[in-house]
Amino acid sequence: MNQDYIKPDNWSIIEEDFDPGRVKSSESLFSIGNGAMGQRANFEEHYSGPSFQGSYIGGVFYPDKTKVGWWKNGYPEYFAKVLNAPNWIGINVFIDGEALDLFTCKSVNNFKRELNMKEGYLARTFEATLPNGTEIEVKALRFLSIVDDELGAIKYEVTPLNKDAKISFEPYLDGGITNTDANWEERFWKTHEVKNEDDKGFIVSKTLKTEFHVGTYMQSEIFLNAEKQELKPEVKEDEDSIAFSYAVNASKGQTAVIIKYAGYVTDMNHEQSDLVVAASAVLKNALDKGFDVLKNEQKDAWAAIWEMADITISGDVKAQQGIRFNIFQLNQTYLGKDERLNIGPKGFTGEKYGGSTYWDTEAYCIPFYMATKDQKVARKLLSYRYNHLEKAQENAAKLGFSNGAALYPMVTMNGEESHNEWEITFEEIHRNGAMVYAIHNYVRYTGDFDYIPEKGLEVMIAIARFWHQRANFSKEKNKYVILGVTGPNEYENNVNNNWYTNYLAKWCIEYCVSMIDKVKDGYEDDYHRIMGLTSLNEGEIAKWMEVAEDMYFPRSEEHNVFLQQDGFLDKEIIPVSDLSSNHRPINQKWSWDRILRSCYIKQADVLQGFYFFEDHFSKEEMERHFDFYEPITVHESSLSPCVHSIQAAVLGRMEQAYQFYLRTSRLDLDDYNKEVEQGCHITSMAGTWMSIVEGFGGMRVQDGQLSFKPQIPEQWDAYSFKINFRDRILKVDVSSGKTNFLLEGEGSLEILVNDKLLEVHPNQAVSV
Amino acid sequence: MNQDYIKPDNWSIIEEDFDPGRVKSSESLFSIGNGAMGQRANFEEHYSGPSFQGSYIGGVFYPDKTKVGWWKNGYPEYFAKVLNAPNWIGINVFIDGEALDLFTCKSVNNFKRELNMKEGYLARTFEATLPNGTEIEVKALRFLSIVDDELGAIKYEVTPLNKDAKISFEPYLDGGITNTDANWEERFWKTHEVKNEDDKGFIVSKTLKTEFHVGTYMQSEIFLNAEKQELKPEVKEDEDSIAFSYAVNASKGQTAVIIKYAGYVTDMNHEQSDLVVAASAVLKNALDKGFDVLKNEQKDAWAAIWEMADITISGDVKAQQGIRFNIFQLNQTYLGKDERLNIGPKGFTGEKYGGSTYWDTEAYCIPFYMATKDQKVARKLLSYRYNHLEKAQENAAKLGFSNGAALYPMVTMNGEESHNEWEITFEEIHRNGAMVYAIHNYVRYTGDFDYIPEKGLEVMIAIARFWHQRANFSKEKNKYVILGVTGPNEYENNVNNNWYTNYLAKWCIEYCVSMIDKVKDGYEDDYHRIMGLTSLNEGEIAKWMEVAEDMYFPRSEEHNVFLQQDGFLDKEIIPVSDLSSNHRPINQKWSWDRILRSCYIKQADVLQGFYFFEDHFSKEEMERHFDFYEPITVHESSLSPCVHSIQAAVLGRMEQAYQFYLRTSRLDLDDYNKEVEQGCHITSMAGTWMSIVEGFGGMRVQDGQLSFKPQIPEQWDAYSFKINFRDRILKVDVSSGKTNFLLEGEGSLEILVNDKLLEVHPNQAVSV
C-alpha cells in the first residue's frame, strides 16, 4: 500500500483536505464515465497546480505515428492513442474580478471530494480565502448521464462568506487541447467551427487522420439562491474555444449558482452535418427536464445497475469499498450498449497504453459482464473480435503467416495492431488463445452454442491455422515446439516453449476441431458455409492435430512441475520474500536485463493456465505449482493478484486469498503500484469480481451445471453477490458456516453446492 | 551483387555517365576524408535532385535525445549522433545568370567521376547543356589534406563551349545544415558568428548541448585560363551563411577557374576565442603554397601510406580495386594521430548507427592498424578504451553491477553508452570480451607487454568482475551459465548460454588472472598499485576462477559441435541454399519474429570464437563447425564474410575463400546489402585486409613467432602485402607455388613458413 488518504466508506470514495500533491492521483480515482464518454476528475475552475487533464470519448482515437528506436519489419506504422477530447467541464470563476484557483488561494478549508458510486456523481465542497481576502464556500457536483450518454451536467455553487461579492461564471468549451501521451507533440484535433446560438455554445472539431467529427456543446443556467437569473452572457470566441460570461452580485451568504449542461455528440452516431442540431436536441431535452430530474434519473439508472451487479461485504468497510469501486468503474467504462466499443485498460481515467482492447477483455472481463448483465453484452464483446477477424488475418500475413491464419493484435482500437515492441507485438501471441478461451467460456456459461456456427468457428479456425504454422517440429525433442514467445509473464521475453502458450495452442486446436465436429453434426448449413469459406479440409485438420497431439511441454522432474519455459531452472531461484524491499517494484528499480535474468514473475503465467483449465488438473497439481511459482511472483501486473486469490481460495488458504483480494480490489485506491496518477487499472477490476465470485464463492460451470463452494474470509461477517445464469437471477449470501441461495423468476434451478446437488426454487431462500 | 556501374581500375574508383538514381550511392562511394574530417561526395554546385548531404568532423557529436517506444531502466538518455557539420564545399555556379544544376540541365555528357586513391583526390568532369542553351565543360577536383588535416581545397573549372559567357562563382559556407539522422528533427548547431575579412569568410558555430565550437572558413582565387583575376567579391551574409560572388567573362573556349580553400578548425585543437585566427593561419599557409603544391604534398603523403599499407593483386582488377578501396577508406577514416578519435562504422561517409566506436575496432580493426602503421597507433586505440574505463564502470553500475565491474558501451563517442535497444545495449555483452581480446592480440603481435601493467590490467580486472557477476550458477546444469544475452549473431536475442559469450567470459577471466600473475612477477610496483587501486584480493580471484573453470558450454553430441546457444537444435535447420532468393535479405523481407525463430545466422558467432581462438581447437573441429554453421549463415552483417574467408582458407577451400573475399572487399562497390546510399561499411574493410593477410597469407603470431601459410586463389597471378612486425618491415609476395619474403632494415628475422623455420635476412629476398 502506498497511499491511504481515501476515507473508508461503503458507498463513496471520499477525500478530505486539499493537498496539491494528491491532485493527479485523485483525478484518476474520482474519474466519472458513462460507457460512451468519461473524464478525469479535473476541477471545473482554473487550477494552476500540477494536473493531468483528460476527457475521453469511447471509440474516438488518433493513429499516432509509431515511435521506436530501431524499426523492425512488421511493426504497425501507427499506434492508436486514446484521445484527450475538447474540454467541456471548464467554468472559470471570478470573485470580484479575481480568478478562483485552489493552487493560489490563501487558504482552503473543509475540502471534500466524494465520488458517490451509489448515485453516480462526483461532488466537491470547500471553503477558500482568495488572495484578495474574500472568503467563499463552493459546492460543485457533476455527472455523466448513463440515461442519455451524450450528456453531462454540472452544478456549481459559490457563496461569499465574509462580504458581498460579484461572482462571475465563465463556462467555456476548449478545443485547443493536447494529449499527455503523444509521440511527436503533434496536435490531434482540428477545430472546424466555433459557434454560438443565444446562450448555447458549440465547437465542431475533427480528429486529424481518423477524421472523427465531434460536436462539443454547452448551455448554462444561472441562479441566485434558488432564483433563476435571466442574463444575457458576454460571448468570447477564438479559433479553438468559446466562453460565455455571466456576472451575479451576491450578498454575503447568498449563493450564486451555475448549472452547465454539456457533452459530446459524434459522427459515430449522427451525420457529420447534423452535429450542432443533435447537440441542440440533447440540450433542449436536458433543460426541459432540469438538473434535479436528470440527477434523479441518474440515481435510478445506477440503482438498476447495482441491483444486479452489487456485491455486499459486511464487517470490512475497506473490502466493501474496494469491490464497489471496481464494479462502479467497470460500469462507467463499458455498459455493453455499443458493439464498436471495448474495455480499455485505463477506461476513461487516463491515456497510458493507448488502444482500447487487450486480451484482458477475453481473459478477465467477459465473466463479469456475462454474470452481471444480459448475456447479449458478452456476445457483443465476442462479436467485436469476430468483426476484426479480417484485420487479424492481415496482421498475421504481414508477419509471414499464410492460409488465412489470424493473429489478433496485442492492442487495438479498430482491429489493427497498435503495439510496437517486438517482444510483445510479435511474440506475446498467447493472446490469440484468449480469444478462443473467451468463446469457450461464453458458451459454457450461457449455453448459447449458436454463437459457434454463427461467428465463433471462423475465428477459431483462423487461430488454429496460426498455431499450426507457428509451431515447428524439433528433431532434438521429437516434439512440436513454439519458439521465440513472450508469455503472460512479460518479465521473460523471447523464450522457447512457454508452457502457457504451448498449452493454449494445443487446446485451441483441439477445441476448434471438436467444435467443427459439433457444427458438422447439428448445423449442417453452417458447416458447409464455413468449410467453403475457409477452404478447410480433413487433411489440414489432421495436420493441426499432429501438432496438438505432439506438443512439447517443459517440465521439471525434480520439482514435479511444468516449467514456465525451457531453461527456467537455469535461473537462481530466490523467493521474493528474500528480496529487499528497496529493490521493489523491480520494474522501477532494476534494469531490464536484470529483470529478464531473474526468476521473478510479473503475473501469473503457468498459474494462469491452471486458472483457465482448472478441470484439467488435480488439486494436488495446482497446489504444487502454486507453491512453486507464487513465491517468486512479484505481482507487478494488476492482473496477477486476482488469479492467485482464486487459486489460494481453491486451496483453502483463505488468509492468503484475502490478502490477494485486498491487493486486487484496492490496487488503485491504495496505489500499490505507485502509478495511479496515470489512471486506474480498469480491466483488472473484473478480476477482483472473479476473486469473490469464483474465488470465495467458488462458482464454476461445468456441463451446463452451476456449482459453488462458498468460503468466507475470517475478516468478514458476510458477503453476497448476484449472477445472471442463463437468464436466471440467483442471489448468493454467504456468512460464516451458512450460504443462502435465492432464485428470482420462474422455474427451479439445480445447482451443485460443495459437490452436492441442490434444487433451488424461485423466490424461496434456501440455506446450506 | 546489386550494382556494377563502378568501372574496374587498379587505382581509382570510376563512374561514367550521369544517372541521378545513382547519386546517393556515389556520394557514399566517392567520399573523401583525412582522419580528422571527411565528407560525402556531394557536388560543389547546386544540385536539386535526390542527394544526401554530409560533412563530418571527427569527435564532434550531438547527444540526440533517445527515441524509444517503451522506456526501459538503464537506457541512456542520449544517443551520440555523428553530426553533419557546416557545408564548406559549396560553390554556386551561374552561366549568364542561370544556375548550373545537373538535375535540370538539358543534357549531361562525358560525365566522369574518379576517386583517385593513389593520390587522394576526388575529380569530376562533364559537359552540360544548360536550359538556356549554353554548353559548358566542367572539371572539379578536391581533396582533404592529410598533411594539414584542417584544410580542404577545391579547383573548379568552367569552359563555355558554344559561346562566350559570363561565369559567376559563388563560393559559400552554410551553417544552417541539418542531420538526415535526427530523432526529433531538432537543430544540432547554433551559428555564433558570420564574418568576412577581405575575401576570407568565416562561420563560427557551436553544437547544441555538447558545445563543440567549430570555425568553418574559406578563401578563393579566381583565374581566367591560367591568369589570376584580382576581383573584389560581392558579399552576401545571413544568419547562418556567407557567400562571395565573383564574375568572369569567358570567351568561348576560355576557362574560368575558382580555387577554394576551406575546412574546419575546432576547439578540440584551438582556444574557442582563436578559431578565426587559427583558420586564417591555415588559409595563409594554403595560399602561400597554392593548389598545385598542396596537391603534390597530398600525393606524397598518400604515397607514404601506400608504401606501407598497399596490397597488390595481379590478374584480377576487381579484387585489386576492392582491397585498395578498403585500405584507402580505412586510412581516410583513421590515421592514428588522435587518441580521442576512433573508427566509426560508417567513417565519414554517412550518419547511420551514430557513435564512432563499436567492438568492430577491437575485433576487426586493430590487426590492420598494428600491421600497417607504427604500433603506437594500435596502442592509442587500446588507450581510448582505457580512458573510458570509468564510464564503463558507471554504465555497469547503472545496470546493477557492483565492485567496479565494467561494461563497455555497445556504441559510444565519449565512453557513454549510446545504444538503446534492450536486446543490444543490455545483452550484447560479448563486446566486453573483445576489449580484452584486443589487448591480448596487441601484446601477442607487438610484444609490448608494458601495456598490461600500465593500462591493460585495470581494464581486464573490471571486465573479469563483470563476467563473474554476470554468470550465475545453475543447479540444474551444475555449471555456471550466462543467461539473457545476444551474441555476435544479432538474429538471436535474449538467448541463454551463447557459446561465444560464455567462451569469451571464461577466457577473459583466465587471461586476466594469468596477466595478474605475470605482472606480480615482473612489475611489482605496478602490481601493488593496481591491487590497491582495485581492492582486489586472492579470495576474489578464486571466485572468478570458479566461474571460469565451471563454465557451461552448450553442445550437440549428435553433430559433435558446440551449439550457438541453448535450444538451438529446436529450430528447423534449413540451409540458406534452400531459401528462395526473394526471401533475401531476410532483414528486409521477414518480420523480426520470423528471423528470430529461424536458424539463420547474421554473422559468424561460434565461428567468430574459432577465429579468435583458432589455436584452442583442431583443424578438424574447425571444419566440423564451419560445415555446420556456414550453410545457415546469411552474412547480412558486413563483418561476416571476412571471418569465413579466413577460415575457408585455413581449411584449404580456396574457391569459397575467394568468393567470401570478393564479397567483403566489394561489399560497398557492388552494394551487396542494398544500402550503400547510407554510407560505406568502414570497419569491415579491416576484415577484408585480414582475409588476405591472415586468410590467403596465413599470417599468425604465436609465442612471439611470426608464421605464414601462403595460398593463392586460382583467379590471381600474384599478390603482395607488407607488415610491420615489431618495427620490422616484411614484404610478402605470393604467386602460384612461390612466396617471396623481403625484410627491410637491419638484423634478420626468424619466421615460420608452412610450419618450417625460415631465417630472413634484411634486404635479401628469400623464396619458398
Side-chain angles (χ1 to χ4, degrees), chain A residues 666-735:
Chain A
R666 295 188 62 87
L667 179 79
D668 291 320
L669 292 175
D670 297 341
D671 200 11
Y672 274 85
N673 289 349
K674 299 188 187 174
E675 51 171 21
V676 77
E677 288 186 359
Q678 299 167 353
C680 297
H681 298 81
I682 302 299
T683 44
S684 68
M685 294 179 177
T688 306
W689 180 90
M690 295 196 302
S691 61
I692 291 186
V693 176
E694 300 182 7
F696 302 151
M699 185 182 85
R700 302 287 186 277
V701 176
Q702 201 66 39
D703 303 324
Q705 176 108 55
L706 193 60
S707 71
F708 298 89
K709 290 188 178 169
Q711 300 179 80
I712 184 166
E714 63 172 26
Q715 290 84 350
W716 297 358
D717 299 330
Y719 68 96
S720 75
F721 59 87
K722 238 184 199 179
I723 56 157
N724 173 0
F725 178 69
R726 305 190 175 188
D727 294 332
R728 307 303 307 278
I729 309 295
L730 181 70
K731 188 168 186 229
V732 182
D733 275 280
V734 184
S735 55

Side-chain angles (χ1 to χ4, degrees), chain A residues 431-452:
Chain A
R431 61 188 184 253
N432 241 8
M435 307 300 134
V436 181
Y437 178 78
I439 296 170
H440 158 67
N441 201 14
Y442 169 79
V443 171
R444 175 172 65 174
Y445 188 87
T446 64
D448 175 20
F449 186 83
D450 288 355
Y451 184 75
I452 303 270

Side-chain angles (χ1 to χ4, degrees), chain B residues 54 146 331 553 707:
Chain B
I146 59 171
N331 276 285
F553 297 102
S707 70

Side-chain angles (χ1 to χ4, degrees), chain B residues 229-269:
Chain B
Q229 310 290 301
E230 297 300 338
L231 303 172
K232 195 173 157 51
E234 189 188 327
V235 183
K236 298 180 197 170
E237 282 185 19
D238 69 17
E239 218 172 80
D240 289 316
S241 71
I242 179 166
F244 294 144
S245 186
Y246 302 90
V248 185
N249 290 308
S251 307
K252 175 177 161 182
Q254 276 193 318
T255 302
V257 182
I258 178 169
I259 294 177
K260 180 179 183 182
Y261 304 94
Y264 304 118
V265 289
T266 82
D267 65 351
M268 292 171 71
N269 303 310

Side-chain angles (χ1 to χ4, degrees), chain B residues 9 92 140 159 163 286 290 294 370 423 521 553 562-563 597 688:
Chain B
D9 185 277
N92 291 323
T159 310
K163 61 190 278 291
L294 291 171
M370 278 195 307
E423 63 274 21
D521 279 356
F553 297 102
F562 292 113
L563 287 178
R597 280 183 281 131
T688 305

Side-chain angles (χ1 to χ4, degrees), chain A residues 213-233:
Chain A
H213 285 64
V214 171
T216 311
Y217 64 86
M218 67 170 171
Q219 186 170 1
S220 302
E221 295 177 308
I222 308 293
F223 299 82
L224 186 60
N225 284 352
E227 202 166 325
K228 181 157 182 184
Q229 309 289 300
E230 296 302 337
L231 301 173
K232 197 175 156 50

Side-chain angles (χ1 to χ4, degrees), chain A residues 242-351:
Chain A
I242 180 167
F244 293 143
S245 185
Y246 302 90
V248 184
N249 291 307
S251 307
K252 175 176 162 180
Q254 275 193 320
T255 302
V257 183
I258 178 170
I259 295 177
K260 180 180 182 182
Y261 304 95
Y264 303 119
V265 290
T266 81
D267 66 350
M268 292 172 72
N269 303 308
H270 303 278
E271 290 297 315
Q272 274 177 23
S273 54
D274 288 350
L275 293 176
V276 169
V277 175
S280 300
V282 178
L283 280 173
K284 179 167 189 317
N285 182 48
L287 271 92
D288 285 351
K289 288 182 179 170
F291 189 83
D292 293 338
V293 171
L294 292 170
K295 183 162 173 287
N296 270 324
E297 284 180 357
Q298 177 83 343
K299 176 179 162 183
D300 294 344
W302 272 103
I305 291 173
W306 286 117
E307 171 61 25
M308 186 60 222
D310 193 24
I311 289 182
T312 66
I313 297 172
S314 314
D316 189 339
V317 179
K318 283 192 148 196
Q320 173 71 77
Q321 187 180 38
I323 186 63
R324 284 203 172 120
F325 181 66
N326 287 208
I327 295 167
F328 181 69
Q329 286 290 7
L330 284 163
N331 276 285
Q332 289 205 121
T333 303
Y334 184 76
L335 286 163
K337 292 181 186 170
D338 190 335
E339 205 175 58
R340 298 166 298 183
L341 305 184
N342 210 292
I343 306 137
K346 296 259 169 245
F348 299 117
T349 72
E351 295 161 20

